[in-house]
Amino acid sequence: MSAIRVKRRPRSSSAPGIGFYISATVLVLLSIAPILWVLKMSLIPRAELFASPPTFLPQDFTLSSYSTVFSDPTFIRGLFNSALIAGVSTLACLLLGAPAAYAFARLRFRFRTFLMTGILALAFFPAVAVIAPLFLEFKALDLLNTYWAVIITDTVFVLPLTVWILTAFFRQLPRDLEDAAKVDGATTLQAFRHVILPLAAPGVATAAIIAFIVTWNEFLFANTFLFDSDHWPATVVIPNFATTHTVEYGAQAAAALVITVPIALVVLAFQRRIVQGLTAGALKG
Amino acid sequence: MDPVSTGEGQITRERGGTSRREFLVVSGGSLVAVSLFGLSACGGDDGGGTASGDVLMNLSPDVKEIVSAQVEAFNKQNPDGEVRTRITPSDTGQAFDQLRTQFQGGGSDIDVIMGDIIWPPQFAANGYIADLSERFTEADREAFIAGVITGNTYEDEIYGVPWFTDAGFLYYRRDLLEDAGFSEPPQTWDELREMAAKVQQDAGTPNGFVFTGAQYEGGTVLGLEFIRTAGGDVLDGDTVIVDTPEAIEGLAIQQSLVADGIAPEAVANFKEEEASGAFLRGDSVFMRMWPYAYDFLGDKEQSSITVEQVELTELPVASEDIPRVNVGGGFNFFINADAADPDAAYALIEYLTAPEQQKQLAIEGAYMPTRTELYDDPEIIKAVPGVRLGKEVVPATTTPPVSPYYSDMSLVMSEAFNANILGSATPEETAATLKSELESIISRGG
Amino acid sequence: MNGGTGTADNRRGAGAAERRTARWMVSPAILLIVAVAFFPVAYSVYLSLHDASITSVGGWVGFDNYAQLFRDSKFTGALLNTAVFTAVSVTIELVLGLTIALGLNQAFRGRGAVRTAVLLPWAFPVVVSALMWRLMLQDQVGIVSYLVQSLGLADSPILSDRTSLLIAAILVDVWKTTPFMALLLLAGLQTVPKDVIEAAKVDGAGALRRLFSITLPLLKPTILVALLFRTLEAWGVYDLFWVMADRQLDSLSTYTFEGVRVSQLNFAPGTAAAVFTFFAALAIALVFIKLLGARTAEER
């Protein structure tokens, strides 16, 4: 709000004024304050977690939550499982989504609009709605309690976003390159593989990062289809830092930070790319 | 295709054919690569595990260390079969849900099931677990606490072997009561109300009485306790009796404790952590809680009050002529009806519920045993404070209603009791609503 | 593989080949989606018309399950909660997201850091943040509860009151999702041609005027797509309600989950609720797509 007000004040340059920087600071603080609180929760003893009234700065400092987390083999295994599930799902999403997006963007064929709407329609599905029938389907295929059940479901539910980003990205690439390739005798597919894909790196990177983040954080399907703690991703392991009666909030806070930090680093490294990739998506929404 | 393009069509088809083949190779190759990667990463397959002699048991994380050690010892003693364990969610509701889903989906590979006291009727009614009447004889059963045996019984057959139990205790601040001039803990709810109010006034303690009133299984248990300590009950067989004057009085007591400020309104959101948190930081005079919280009293990181300041006793009743009662839980063992080797399964159960193993569980984990003889064991009495009182409290422990539709019942009960705490309905209205909902469940369940 | 013949004939032949290639490129995705998403929904529709349970289909009951749904105050409550949650949170996220996007659209020192900080809430897994938020909102011990009560904004426990719980859920969702909205809108902003804005500046148009007459209209397609995704996501909200509200507040999805996964007897109504949620979402989406289609058609 004040960003716009600031612009009204006459100024020699178009550099943002102090009001803008104040608003930006407030925004940053509001965004990360809860996360800082979670950091605090991970560093204080249990008694202080339930202090009333709550303390702002830690009175007592302890690393016991982190030692609980890192000494728990189920959690370490969970990190590995998360990486595996998110990695394979992202890969599958790209393998399936990129060709489809290219077809939607460049090729003409029957049912194109219908299919495109259909894939977007996936975004309408409340995931909970398909849990029961999917469970029976996977049971019949003997896929329960395997990584595949979660990977397949995750892939399918992240496809709409992936396809949307990639379709729009492909659309805004100049046609001349493919036309030139075709004149030289390349098939559509070859043009796709050798000309377009290399150029599509930013869009693909964006789609990949977003798909990875979403599948890394996924909980419902993993929780429903995986019975064995051997297969649980980290998101399912975290609520289990608990016993029948007690909940180890400190450990959960520590674990949450541990699984978010790599994501945060990736986002930091690629935030410009992400915006670039989404820019294309916005051009021909 | 029209004749003009046939010539091109052929060339085109060729090109199309090549690209199709190419595509198949590329995508096929990728899929194969991904599959191999995925399969190799799948790791330990857990199909079956029930070759004769082998037994698979689910394991709650709470008891992971102790039981794993016991299982190892058992495996050494019995080299012909192997017992393996699988860790399941720490939340018993979730663990139950998983297991039930597996059964509904066709069957579970778990042979020995470690489960909550509310599981047997729901599993037995659908034939998921085996009737143990032949193996677990009447004579055997007498060594165990009667109330827990009842909880494991469905339609006059016994389905589970008791392992450890949980009971509801009243924790109180001995020091605060003494300062206010009370030398004995309260026997009735009215006395509790009076004592709490006085201490809150004199010492400024924020909360008089805290308990788990959130909308979950714990809330159901508390609601049941208020009703039963007033002499009423929710079900009598298949008849719903939640609208009797006694039951309504129990609900009224629960509501008035909150309305009068003895219990904070926030109990409607409290689970074990929040309630014990309040008591352990010294902000409450009384607490209804399971025995595990007593262990935290010595630990600075967990508690601001000490062992000397706290004492445990039975829950109060509405009036002195009503027998003392509480509602408990606890874990038991069941055998999968489809277990490949039920004999091996039962052998494991016998071992784990034997006096020596129960004693180890009590001393190392502060779990309350289910064998009555252990309540006289001096070592256990020293290690588990709950056991000292256990002799009075545990025989008075009752279990939640025995019903195959307990999941649905618990859903409506926890909601009704929560509304009762918040005062969104009068006790009479709550009772009426519950009655119609429970009757509907029973009639639909058939 | 040199073709090298007349262009017109090439195109016709190429058209057929193009269609075939397109089919092969699209098929894997479509097949997977049909198998994993559409079949279950179709099956759910089928089940919802029977007296179904998780183990058996049961007898045909027509629309009885749906009728039962609308008689169930828990369902209508869930419907209302979801509708309010969706409308309010998406609106706030749009306005806030736009503001942030406008701010981030210009170069300033520390832009990268701000962008990252703003994206962090979105990267945090919902399940865990919901658990933490619940503790933060808990009476007597929660920092948010403490602040809210100190400021005099509430005097009863936040978690006990359905309304304040809904408000809390909306605010947590805003905290979590505004970043993503801002990002989508920022991307759209960066495609608004700068010369048009400059020309307007030269003509003396004020900042607000520029915003409403030039920037926003050019941004319409992006806004509509962002709204589409967000609205549908909010309509299906599950994690946030299940973990943070912890059964005290129902959304359409938590109602469905309780029916098909927790309860023994409410499987059929639960399935009906799932189907209802899906078709309602479809209707909402069609409205947006119509709007979008109208927009892009205009632009062409």
Side-chain angles (χ1 to χ4, degrees):
Chain A
M1 267 79 62
S2 40
I4 302 174
R5 260 178 251 134
V6 161
K7 278 192 206 153
R8 253 200 235 142
R9 270 190 242 128
R11 243 186 347 270
S12 47
S13 72
S14 58
I18 192 81
F20 175 84
Y21 277 102
I22 292 180
S23 327
T25 314
V26 168
L27 176 65
V28 167
L29 284 178
L30 281 177
S31 300
I32 63 177
I35 298 180
L36 288 177
W37 188 259
V38 174
L39 178 65
K40 176 195 168 231
M41 277 173 67
S42 70
L43 293 170
I44 57 178
R46 188 185 177 281
E48 201 185 328
L49 270 171
F50 287 101
S52 172
T55 58
F56 276 92
L57 293 173
Q59 313 276 51
D60 259 315
F61 197 71
T62 176
L63 285 176
S64 58
S65 296
Y66 284 97
S67 68
T68 308
V69 165
F70 283 114
S71 62
D72 188 346
T74 315
F75 181 72
I76 306 294
R77 171 111 200 166
L79 287 176
F80 168 76
N81 290 335
S82 283
L84 179 67
I85 291 174
V88 176
S89 303
T90 304
L91 201 62
C93 241
L94 293 176
L95 283 175
L96 294 171
Y102 183 73
F104 286 135
R106 284 286 197 257
L107 308 179
R108 262 169 309 179
F109 54 98
R110 248 197 314 245
F111 301 129
R112 183 177 83 159
T113 332
F114 171 72
L115 284 176
M116 231 175 98
T117 319
I119 291 195
L120 264 186
L122 253 198
F124 317 161
F125 279 56
V128 175
V130 296
I131 288 268
L134 257 186
F135 184 87
L136 295 171
E137 224 177 271
F138 285 139
K139 175 75 189 175
L141 293 171
D142 211 20
L143 285 175
L144 278 183
N145 209 24
T146 65
Y147 293 113
W148 280 121
V150 181
I151 290 175
I152 291 173
T153 334
D154 278 355
T155 306
V156 167
F157 279 84
V158 181
L159 261 179
L161 198 54
T162 314
V163 167
W164 179 68
I165 293 175
L166 289 172
T167 305
F169 192 81
F170 288 142
R171 258 200 203 133
Q172 55 100 31
L173 289 176
R175 279 186 184 260
D176 340 359
L177 298 156
E178 291 149 87
D179 289 346
K182 287 235 185 98
V183 164
D184 285 344
T187 64
T188 312
L189 211 44
Q190 287 170 324
F192 174 59
R193 272 181 58 212
H194 296 124
V195 177
I196 298 300
L197 273 188
L199 284 177
V204 168
T206 308
I209 291 170
I210 293 186
F212 190 84
I213 292 181
V214 173
T215 48
W216 178 268
N217 287 341
E218 201 279 324
F219 175 78
L220 180 61
F221 296 129
N223 197 34
T224 309
F225 299 138
L226 301 175
F227 308 136
D228 206 320
S229 62
D230 276 350
H231 292 110
W232 290 345
T235 40
V236 176
V237 174
I238 291 180
N240 276 293
F241 279 111
T243 62
T244 313
H245 296 312
T246 63
V247 175
E248 291 177 65
Y249 284 110
Q252 291 187 359
L257 288 171
V258 167
I259 83 173
T260 310
V261 162
I263 301 286
L265 290 176
V266 166
V267 168
L268 178 59
F270 288 104
Q271 38 102 5
R272 203 177 285 144
R273 271 284 170 79
I274 294 179
V275 175
Q276 243 181 16
L278 285 172
T279 304
L283 266 177
K284 287 289 186 88
Chain B
M1 273 212 205
D2 60 84
V4 177
S5 64
T6 310
E8 274 65 49
Q10 280 187 324
I11 298 173
T12 317
R13 229 175 280 133
E14 226 178 69
R15 273 195 252 140
T18 313
S19 66
R20 196 182 302 145
R21 230 178 290 139
E22 254 190 48
F23 177 75
L24 283 176
V25 166
V26 169
S27 56
S30 326
L31 281 171
V32 167
V34 169
S35 321
L36 285 177
F37 178 67
L39 276 175
S40 67
C42 255
D45 189 52
D46 35 35
T50 48
S52 178
D54 282 354
V55 168
L56 180 63
M57 179 175 74
N58 65 315
L59 184 56
S60 164
D62 300 14
V63 292
K64 204 169 40 173
E65 283 95 22
I66 304 174
V67 173
S68 298
Q70 290 181 345
V71 163
E72 228 180 276
F74 180 79
N75 274 331
K76 283 213 190 81
Q77 280 178 25
N78 302 285
D80 26 296
E82 199 204 344
V83 175
R84 288 163 33 236
T85 58
R86 172 192 296 168
I87 303 216
T88 48
S90 58
D91 177 43
T92 58
Q94 257 211 323
F96 172 71
D97 189 48
Q98 262 189 10
L99 214 46
R100 184 177 60 175
T101 306
Q102 288 176 55
F103 280 127
Q104 286 166 340
S108 171
D109 52 345
I110 303 215
D111 302 301
V112 173
I113 298 170
M114 178 191 290
D116 205 337
I117 194 72
I118 50 177
W119 297 13
Q122 302 183 70
F123 283 160
N126 292 299
Y128 299 146
I129 56 179
D131 176 357
L132 300 176
S133 315
E134 312 266 304
R135 300 176 192 273
F136 190 34
T137 63
E138 298 262 3
D140 292 332
R141 289 176 230 169
E142 293 196 351
F144 294 88
I145 297 166
V148 188
I149 293 284
T150 315
N152 278 297
T153 311
Y154 176 69
E155 289 189 349
D156 293 325
E157 308 289 349
I158 186 115
Y159 284 89
V161 180
W163 188 34
F164 68 82
T165 187
D166 236 349
F169 287 85
L170 181 73
Y171 287 60
Y172 65 94
R173 288 286 299 278
R174 193 207 331 239
D175 57 332
L176 290 179
L177 286 187
E178 271 170 21
D179 290 343
F182 301 109
S183 54
E184 293 287 327
Q187 305 294 312
T188 66
W189 287 112
D190 279 335
E191 284 177 25
L192 182 140
R193 190 194 306 267
E194 188 195 320
M195 296 189 198
K198 184 137 200 298
V199 174
Q200 279 178 289
Q201 195 177 40
D202 290 354
T205 317
N207 306 300
F209 178 53
V210 292
F211 58 91
T212 56
Q215 201 166 324
Y216 76 126
E217 185 59 28
T220 306
V221 166
L222 258 293
L224 284 172
E225 272 179 348
F226 277 108
I227 290 179
R228 287 181 184 170
T229 52
D233 207 334
V234 168
L235 279 185
D236 182 10
D238 267 353
T239 321
V240 180
I241 53 170
V242 73
D243 53 345
T244 55
E246 292 85 12
I248 293 181
E249 193 192 336
L251 291 172
I253 292 176
Q254 187 185 47
Q255 189 172 90
S256 66
L257 281 173
V258 178
D260 294 345
I262 308 288
E265 201 181 326
V267 290
N269 314 315
F270 280 4
K271 294 195 181 180
E272 280 85 353
E273 279 295 285
E274 289 78 24
S276 63
F279 187 80
L280 291 175
R281 65 171 182 266
D283 279 351
S284 185
V285 187
F286 293 102
M287 168 172 76
R288 184 276 180 201
M289 188 50 61
W290 311 106
Y292 81 95
Y294 195 80
D295 264 356
F296 291 152
L297 286 169
D299 186 349
K300 268 262 187 56
E301 279 212 343
Q302 315 270 21
S303 162
S304 315
I305 56 180
T306 64
V307 172
E308 292 78 35
Q309 293 170 275
V310 176
E311 188 53 85
L312 300 186
T313 186
E314 307 168 273
L315 292 180
V317 280
S319 63
E320 299 201 336
D321 50 314
I322 302 176
R324 308 298 275 259
V325 71
N326 69 86
V327 177
F331 265 40
N332 317 272
F333 288 112
F334 321 107
I335 298 185
N336 189 336
D338 290 331
D341 191 346
D343 292 321
Y346 194 71
L348 175 66
I349 294 180
E350 268 185 323
Y351 175 76
L352 291 171
T353 56
E356 202 181 307
Q357 275 67 44
Q358 284 207 9
K359 180 164 172 173
Q360 186 188 11
L361 198 65
I363 294 185
E364 292 181 25
Y367 288 99
M368 309 229 306
T370 44
R371 287 183 176 273
T372 42
E373 69 186 54
L374 294 176
Y375 283 81
D376 291 319
D377 185 317
E379 289 176 286
I380 298 183
I381 291 180
K382 210 171 86 171
V384 191
V387 166
R388 187 171 25 91
L389 269 172
K391 290 200 75 169
E392 295 102 60
V393 172
V394 173
T397 304
T398 57
T399 55
V402 170
S403 163
Y405 298 102
Y406 185 70
S407 293
D408 287 80
M409 289 188 181
S410 181
L411 279 176
V412 302
M413 282 196 282
S414 62
E415 194 177 336
F417 294 146
N418 196 257
N420 188 47
I421 290 177
L422 288 173
S424 354
T426 67
E428 291 80 10
E429 286 165 0
T430 306
T433 315
L434 249 189
K435 181 175 167 91
S436 72
E437 284 179 341
L438 287 173
E439 280 177 345
S440 154
I441 290 175
I442 292 179
S443 68
R444 280 160 67 200
Chain C
M1 261 180 288
N2 288 327
T5 33
T7 34
D9 299 331
N10 226 8
R11 238 182 279 134
R12 239 174 295 156
E18 191 173 294
R19 279 200 298 279
R20 231 171 317 168
T21 313
R23 274 204 291 277
W24 280 102
M25 292 179 97
V26 167
S27 305
I30 298 291
L31 284 174
L32 189 65
I33 289 171
V34 168
V36 176
F38 277 109
F39 267 146
V41 170
Y43 191 53
S44 290
V45 174
Y46 176 72
L47 284 178
S48 71
L49 299 170
H50 293 74
D51 183 20
S53 75
I54 188 117
T55 44
S56 70
V57 179
W60 173 269
V61 294
F63 287 102
D64 275 0
N65 288 323
Y66 293 92
Q68 189 184 341
L69 267 188
F70 283 95
R71 272 184 306 220
D72 184 357
S73 64
K74 206 154 175 227
F75 175 76
T76 48
L79 179 55
L80 186 64
N81 292 334
T82 311
V84 171
F85 174 80
T86 304
V88 178
S89 64
V90 175
T91 309
I92 298 180
E93 282 157 21
L94 180 64
V95 171
L96 266 182
L98 195 56
T99 312
I100 296 175
L102 286 168
L104 288 180
N105 195 26
Q106 43 189 327
F108 61 93
R109 257 203 309 248
R111 178 158 78 159
V114 174
R115 264 208 287 239
T116 310
V118 158
L119 271 180
L120 272 182
W122 177 63
F124 221 66
V126 183
V127 164
V128 186
S129 69
L131 280 171
M132 304 294 138
W133 278 105
R134 188 174 167 86
L135 192 58
M136 286 193 256
L137 290 163
Q138 185 64 266
D139 202 51
Q140 297 183 7
V141 296
I143 183 72
V144 175
S145 164
Y146 175 72
L147 288 171
V148 165
Q149 283 173 349
S150 316
L151 291 174
L153 290 173
D155 56 349
S156 62
I158 299 178
L159 295 176
S160 303
D161 178 46
R162 303 292 195 258
T163 313
S164 59
L165 199 46
L166 188 57
I167 295 176
I170 291 174
L171 291 177
V172 173
D173 195 69
V174 166
W175 173 77
K176 187 186 197 321
T177 326
T178 303
F180 191 63
M181 271 292 244
L183 214 57
L184 289 180
L185 293 170
L186 179 61
L189 270 180
Q190 302 201 324
T191 72
V192 169
K194 296 243 163 35
D195 39 350
V196 179
I197 307 263
E198 285 306 317
K201 258 195 219 166
V202 164
D203 281 350
L208 269 182
R209 181 93 184 290
R210 286 202 305 272
L211 177 69
F212 283 103
S213 314
I214 302 178
T215 316
L216 283 185
L218 283 176
L219 212 46
K220 275 267 161 57
T222 313
I223 292 181
L224 282 174
V225 176
L227 276 182
L228 176 62
F229 271 122
R230 263 312 297 154
T231 308
L232 296 172
E233 220 188 313
W235 185 254
V237 66
Y238 167 75
D239 287 2
L240 185 61
F241 275 63
W242 187 257
V243 180
M244 200 180 89
D246 212 355
R247 292 230 217 128
Q248 284 166 278
L249 205 64
D250 271 319
S251 73
L252 286 174
S253 288
T254 60
Y255 180 88
T256 303
F257 189 82
E258 237 178 57
V260 306
R261 297 276 295 147
V262 181
S263 151
Q264 291 278 67
L265 299 166
N266 287 328
F267 185 79
T271 321
V275 173
F276 170 82
T277 310
F278 166 66
F279 279 112
L282 195 60
I284 297 174
L286 284 175
V287 167
F288 273 108
I289 288 183
K290 258 280 163 59
L291 282 174
L292 245 187
R295 286 298 146 190
T296 28
E298 259 170 48
E299 259 129 65
R300 300 247 173 77

